[in-house]
Amino acid sequence: MSGLMLNLVCEPSRGGKSGKYRGNAKHERFLGRRHYLEHKGLLKEKQNKKRNKKNKMKNKNKSRNTQHNGGDQSKPGAIFPKFTSYLPNKTNEPSSSAQTFSRKSTFSFPSTASTSRRHPTHQAAPRTLGPLKYVALDCEMVGTGPKGCRNELARCSIVTYEGDVIYDKYIKPINPVMDFRTRWSGIRRQDLLHAIPFDQAQKEIVKIITGKVVVGHAIHNDFKVLKYFHPACQTRDTARIPLLNQKAGLPVNEMVSLKRLTKAILKKDIQTGKGGHSSVDDAKATMELFKVVESMWEEKLSQIIDN
């Protein structure tokens, strides 16, 4: 019946065959259909469905963006902090020209970065940035999850350019520890009895290293357990500096352990015995290794901008 009524309402009277008339007839049919749909309330219903679908898609995209940016802020997540950064010089002290240069640049890392894919690479800092202070960072991990296969932070140490310890704390992992890995980590059950929560440690560590050049050995592993991304131009990874391998008389492309590099270049023994590693000793050794090639490596990085 409704189909019949639609035809009756919408069917225009037939007349001449001119293009103008056919256009008018088409317009009349359109108006007739619209009038019928409005009369039955179907037009408003159709518009509401379209509006609801649009709002649903908008909310879905908003929810997806929230998940990419860390999701629920009540749970520890990856940090992508804004930071003010400066270009390091060879002496680690501000030059007179740098002191008169007052402009600063603020950056923020994209929230879509992936902890499993991002590895810090050596890049020169932009010319618009001034002198930066260096710190060395090292983390010790324990195993959580099935058979202790998942790495989680249990201790973090940070030292200055001069080797002074400015941070060294035990950190309680988010999940129950299945393997303390004491032989390598040096972590024992009693060390974590009064350890600070992960989210507190994360905030403290990020506050210290933000805006500084961070030196480390295979440091992407440290940043991963910290759930944090440091700018590549402010990262110096001693496991990826070919000049150090050359100094040690080792293949340039080989990933050499910190223990081996320290022995070959500094003539020092670290990570000895069965007591496990010391993140303080490792951080100090890393900074000493970097200082051996600092001037040459920073000059090499600066040439990247010039070229």
Side-chain angles (χ1 to χ4, degrees):
M1 183 66 183
S2 60
L4 179 61
M5 288 180 65
L6 179 63
N7 289 333
L8 290 174
V9 173
C10 299
E11 185 67 22
S13 60
R14 300 190 180 278
K17 298 182 180 179
S18 66
K20 182 178 179 181
Y21 176 81
R22 286 197 300 272
N24 290 338
K26 186 176 181 180
H27 184 62
E28 287 176 6
R29 285 197 299 273
F30 169 76
L31 291 178
R33 292 190 189 98
R34 184 179 180 87
H35 177 74
Y36 175 76
L37 292 173
E38 286 178 346
H39 179 70
K40 290 292 184 181
L42 299 175
L43 182 64
K44 190 173 182 180
E45 183 180 346
K46 186 176 181 181
Q47 290 173 341
N48 288 337
K49 286 182 178 179
K50 187 180 288 187
R51 192 180 299 112
N52 291 338
K53 185 177 181 181
K54 187 176 181 181
N55 291 335
K56 189 176 180 180
M57 290 296 294
K58 188 175 180 181
N59 292 334
K60 187 176 180 180
N61 291 335
K62 186 176 180 181
S63 175
R64 187 180 302 166
N65 290 335
T66 302
Q67 291 175 0
H68 281 314
N69 283 283
D72 186 0
Q73 297 300 316
S74 64
K75 298 179 181 179
I79 292 183
F80 308 89
K82 289 186 177 181
F83 56 90
T84 302
S85 56
Y86 309 84
L87 178 69
N89 61 9
K90 297 177 183 178
T91 60
N92 198 37
E93 294 295 335
S95 62
S96 57
S97 60
Q99 290 174 344
T100 59
F101 193 84
S102 59
R103 186 172 59 177
K104 298 180 180 179
S105 299
T106 302
F107 303 87
S108 62
F109 257 74
S111 59
T112 55
S114 170
T115 54
S116 60
R117 297 178 184 173
R118 298 280 304 217
H119 284 194
T121 55
H122 292 292
Q123 297 178 8
R127 288 292 189 192
T128 56
L129 307 179
L132 239 183
K133 291 183 178 179
Y134 295 89
V135 294
L137 177 146
D138 188 78
C139 296
E140 300 297 344
M141 302 111 177
V142 292
T144 64
K147 297 182 179 180
C149 63
R150 187 185 302 121
N151 292 330
E152 286 203 38
L153 182 64
R155 184 184 179 185
C156 181
S157 302
I158 304 174
V159 302
T160 65
Y161 185 82
E162 294 76 22
D164 299 323
V165 180
I166 55 176
Y167 190 90
D168 181 32
K169 290 185 180 181
Y170 290 105
I171 299 147
K172 186 176 182 180
I174 300 169
N175 299 296
V177 179
M178 306 303 293
D179 185 356
F180 287 92
R181 304 175 185 172
T182 305
R183 182 178 177 183
W184 298 278
S185 69
I187 305 294
R188 294 166 177 79
R189 186 181 300 275
Q190 58 267 30
D191 295 329
L192 302 182
L193 293 178
H194 303 290
I196 64 173
F198 172 81
D199 55 348
Q200 179 185 338
Q202 186 189 51
K203 291 175 184 177
E204 293 174 352
I205 295 164
V206 169
K207 185 176 181 181
I208 293 172
I209 65 178
T210 296
K212 296 181 176 66
V213 169
V214 180
V215 182
H217 194 83
I219 198 168
H220 60 276
N221 293 321
D222 300 309
F223 289 150
K224 187 173 182 179
V225 294
L226 277 168
K227 302 183 186 298
Y228 167 79
F229 296 120
H230 200 66
C233 65
Q234 295 180 352
T235 303
R236 303 292 182 266
D237 192 340
T238 53
R240 296 174 181 269
I241 299 180
L243 291 174
L244 281 172
N245 287 30
Q246 290 176 5
K247 288 271 185 184
L250 300 168
V252 172
N253 296 326
E254 185 179 342
M255 278 282 277
V256 184
S257 69
L258 178 63
K259 179 178 181 177
R260 193 175 172 192
L261 276 178
T262 304
K263 180 65 174 178
I265 298 175
L266 303 177
K267 310 301 180 187
K268 291 183 179 180
D269 292 315
I270 60 171
Q271 302 174 355
T272 58
K274 297 182 180 180
H277 301 180
S278 165
S279 51
V280 171
D281 292 343
D282 289 355
K284 288 182 177 181
T286 303
M287 182 62 83
E288 288 185 49
L289 285 171
F290 173 71
K291 288 162 76 172
V292 170
V293 294
E294 177 190 351
S295 58
M296 290 183 290
W297 188 238
E298 294 298 348
E299 183 178 353
K300 192 174 184 68
L301 294 180
S302 296
Q303 291 173 359
I304 295 175
I305 299 178
D306 298 333
N307 295 333

